[in-house]
Amino acid sequence: MSGDLKWNKILGAGLATAFVIIGVQQLTGAIYHTEAPEKMGYFVDAPEEAAGGAAEAVLPPDWGTLLPVADLAAGEAAFARCQACHNVAQGGANGIGPNLFGVVGGPVMHSAGFAYSDAMAAHKAEAPTWTYDELDQFITNPGRHVPGTKMSFAGIRDQQTRVNLIAWLRSQGSGGYAVPAPDPARQPGAAAPAEGDPVAPGALEAAEDAGGAAGGAPIDGPAGQPATQESPAAPSSASSSTESPR
């Protein structure tokens, strides 16, 4: 008889505990019940963009104005993130990416013995030379400019950083590659090309992209002088990808 009472007590205690838990849940829900607002969030009075509108025309860099005053030291510092895969020593070996000595103004797939991707080989047929504009577009977003490239670097969005980097690369074996004269049509404040007018390749891409061909008068100023050091600043971690072409 006492054994039956023992199990009854255990079952009763279990049921009581369950009733208490359920009761607490119901009571808590009633106390902290909230009503959903009729309008969610805050109203922000901002104009809506036209659906499917064309990208705003963006002027490519004016190399004749920007390169002569480019900061070579800043360009060398920018190259530090490339060193995990590239070097610029004359006659240096290829790494994960090709050696970049003399790349500015040189042919696409310029480094002998490097296994370039099929995507880069196809791109060479369309753009055989690493002009300033080609380098600028590639460094901005390698995967978008050359879909299928082996280079996984996300790109450099800041134009001045790209200009400094390209100016420094030019000082590493590409000093003979001419810089165009200043182009008023590329300078800030110049009118965007009207509809139907010819535009430089890449001018209708995102704001960080640029297009067109380069060439012209020799450069004057610090960007035309060789860098005093051939070894760029210490590289970033090996997990950082490069931003130079391959």
Side-chain angles (χ1 to χ4, degrees):
M1 186 69 176
S2 60
D4 293 339
L5 291 176
K6 177 182 178 182
W7 286 109
N8 287 342
K9 291 178 181 180
I10 293 173
L11 291 174
L15 289 173
T17 301
F19 287 140
V20 169
I21 294 174
I22 294 173
V24 170
Q25 289 178 340
Q26 295 295 326
L27 182 61
T28 302
I31 294 174
Y32 294 102
H33 175 70
T34 57
E35 295 288 343
E38 295 181 1
K39 295 182 179 181
M40 300 299 292
Y42 298 93
F43 173 73
V44 178
D45 187 9
E48 296 183 359
E49 296 182 1
E56 182 182 356
V58 178
L59 295 174
D62 177 17
W63 300 106
T65 298
L66 297 176
L67 283 177
V69 296
D71 188 338
L72 294 182
E76 183 177 10
F79 185 76
R81 73 191 74 181
C82 312
Q83 287 182 285
C85 299
H86 298 280
N87 74 77
V88 292
Q90 184 174 10
N94 294 317
I96 298 174
N99 180 284
L100 298 180
F101 182 83
V103 66
V104 182
V108 172
M109 300 175 64
H110 71 289
S111 184
F114 183 78
Y116 289 93
S117 64
D118 292 340
M120 188 61 72
H123 183 72
K124 180 181 179 180
E126 302 174 2
T129 304
W130 283 122
T131 65
Y132 298 115
D133 286 329
E134 272 295 315
L135 280 171
D136 183 61
Q137 292 180 74
F138 186 77
I139 293 171
T140 297
N141 191 325
R144 183 168 65 187
H145 189 58
V146 182
T149 178
K150 293 192 294 186
M151 196 165 81
S152 60
F153 180 68
I156 298 177
R157 300 298 187 266
D158 182 66
Q159 184 186 85
Q160 189 57 54
T161 300
R162 297 195 307 272
V163 170
N164 292 337
L165 175 59
I166 292 172
W168 184 80
L169 285 173
R170 181 182 181 275
S171 73
Q172 307 300 302
S174 300
Y177 185 59
V179 172
D183 184 356
R186 288 188 172 207
Q187 294 173 5
E195 183 177 357
D197 289 346
V199 295
L204 296 181
E205 294 183 4
E208 69 272 10
D209 292 336
I219 185 172
D220 293 325
Q225 303 301 321
T228 56
Q229 296 181 351
E230 293 216 354
S231 298
S236 57
S237 64
S239 61
S240 299
S241 297
T242 60
E243 72 277 354
S244 299
R246 71 172 183 269

